Amino acid sequence: MRWAVAWSVLAGLGAGVSGAQEPEGEAPDPGYCAFVRGVGDAESAVLLAPDVFASVGMVNAGEAGGSGGVPLGSPTPRITAGVDYDFVGLYRGLSIRRRAEAECERYRALSALQVAVKRGTDVGAEAALAARAQILEAALPEAGQLLASLRDEVKEGRATVEELNALQLRLDGLRSLAYETAKERERLAALPRPAERPLSTWLRDFRAADDRVEAESASQRSASAWKVRLRGGYDELINVQQDVPFFGTLTVSYNLGNLWQPPANARAREGRRRLLEEDVEGVSQEVARLVRELRAGHSAEEARLREVSVLVTDLEGQLREFQAMETAKVRRYRDYLVLELARLRAEQAWLKTHVAELGRFLGEERP
């Protein structure tokens, strides 16, 4: 009966720990996060669960006396089984899992930063090219109709070949711009796209996650100086009368080296922070260089956008005035004006979208 009760208790403890480590219904994690979480779960499993032990041997027990009056007793079989649990292991196991989550967040932020660095100054170009393509797609059919109409007038002798060539060159410039836009969009479509969040947010998340990784590592190093062990179980001497064949002990130990750990951990944490900034080939330096380039381009494009917007407004006003006139020379100039206005509108759409995308990406949105 005693053996049955003891093994039932041990089996119940083992089943409880096993069930806690394998939650059902969770989707598998992708890539690196699945890796670090799996390693964290494997390392923490042996820290969160208790140790189960059993031993069989012979001890001196009973009433027989030894030499010199020492009651050594006679050799008696002894069976011991129980559970040994270190409560510090619970803290260390949970810290390992928190570190795995921090490493996962660090990887996500680092991946987003690396994608942005690889994209370089092409950041925001995809949306800007789409805006330019939309303007050109709407303008090219009208430009084609103007060219066809001018060809008819040349045949009828109401227009010169020089006028036809001039309009054809302007239309060819629009078509060439549309072709280059489509080719550039195809090139960018093959590259990884940066995340929607501002670059400064990803960089802040990366640094915060990296700091959490070091903080959790430091807490594990400090916790290794402590041991709080609870040991208990079943202990029976065969053929020896025992009222309660169970035992239990609580042991607390502390390593004095822990007194020197806090300042060392603080130096390690500060050194890791400085390493991110000092590493010439690290992501922080690459992101800093990219930010400088993007901000310089952002300022230049803002100035160009103001200039182009003024030109577009001026040409739109001229076009409205010329549309009321019916002379042949005015119509020729109006046709040239339509094509030039289409080119400027395409440039304006590009600049306006690209400036907005760069501002969002840099975290410098303007109304």
Side-chain angles (χ1 to χ4, degrees), residues 319-332:
L319 184 60
R320 285 192 297 268
E321 293 177 2
F322 288 133
Q323 283 175 342
M325 302 179 185
E326 293 296 334
T327 65
K329 290 185 178 181
V330 168
R331 286 199 302 271
R332 302 293 173 270

Side-chain angles (χ1 to χ4, degrees), residues 19 22 31 76 81 118 145 153 181 189 213 223 230 236 257 260 266 282 304 320 324:
E22 298 179 0
T76 302
K118 289 180 180 178
Q145 292 176 2
E153 293 185 8
T181 300
V213 170
L230 178 62
E236 181 175 10
W260 289 268
R304 177 57 182 166
R320 285 192 297 268

Side-chain angles (χ1 to χ4, degrees), residues 100-122:
E101 290 298 326
E103 288 179 350
C104 175
E105 293 300 321
R106 180 184 184 276
Y107 175 78
R108 288 175 178 169
L110 178 61
S111 298
L113 292 173
Q114 289 175 338
V115 168
V117 170
K118 289 180 180 178
R119 183 63 75 99
T121 53
D122 288 334

Side-chain angles (χ1 to χ4, degrees), residues 60-96:
N60 292 325
E63 298 179 356
S67 60
V70 179
L72 297 177
S74 60
T76 302
R78 181 182 185 182
I79 299 175
T80 304
V83 176
D84 184 358
Y85 191 73
D86 184 3
F87 287 97
V88 178
L90 175 63
Y91 174 82
R92 294 177 62 193
L94 295 177
S95 179
I96 287 175

Side-chain angles (χ1 to χ4, degrees), residues 174 177 304 338-348:
L174 289 180
L177 183 59
R304 177 57 182 166
V338 167
L339 297 187
E340 182 63 18
L341 186 58
R343 185 189 68 79
L344 287 174
R345 283 173 174 169
E347 184 179 1
Q348 183 187 38

Side-chain angles (χ1 to χ4, degrees), residues 200-315:
S200 58
T201 302
W202 283 116
L203 187 59
R204 183 175 64 250
D205 290 350
F206 168 71
R207 291 171 176 168
D210 189 80
D211 186 65
R212 288 200 304 273
V213 170
E214 176 57 32
E216 293 298 338
S217 299
S219 69
Q220 292 174 41
R221 293 192 292 267
S222 298
S224 63
W226 290 88
K227 288 184 177 60
V228 181
R229 307 189 71 92
L230 178 62
R231 184 181 178 92
Y234 182 80
D235 187 9
E236 181 175 10
L237 298 173
I238 305 301
N239 298 325
V240 175
Q241 182 64 36
Q242 294 175 268
D243 293 334
V244 181
F246 294 98
F247 74 97
T249 59
L250 176 64
T251 305
V252 179
S253 64
Y254 175 70
N255 190 304
L256 295 178
N258 178 251
L259 298 175
W260 289 268
Q261 279 188 316
N265 284 331
R267 290 196 305 272
R269 190 172 182 180
E270 178 61 25
R272 182 159 180 162
R273 290 174 181 166
R274 287 162 48 196
L275 176 63
L276 293 180
E277 302 299 329
E278 296 171 354
D279 187 5
V280 177
E281 300 300 327
V283 68
S284 293
Q285 293 291 337
E286 292 180 350
V287 169
R289 287 192 291 269
L290 176 61
V291 167
R292 288 194 296 269
E293 293 178 4
L294 293 180
R295 283 179 176 166
H298 187 243
S299 299
E301 288 184 357
E302 280 186 322
R304 177 57 182 166
L305 176 59
R306 289 191 292 268
E307 296 173 355
V308 171
S309 298
V310 171
L311 285 174
V312 168
T313 302
D314 182 59
L315 292 184

Side-chain angles (χ1 to χ4, degrees), residues 21 40-41 44-45 48 92-101:
Q21 298 302 317
D41 289 344
S44 63
L48 297 175
R92 294 177 62 193
L94 295 177
S95 179
I96 287 175
R97 293 187 174 184
R98 291 193 299 269
R99 186 186 65 187
E101 290 298 326

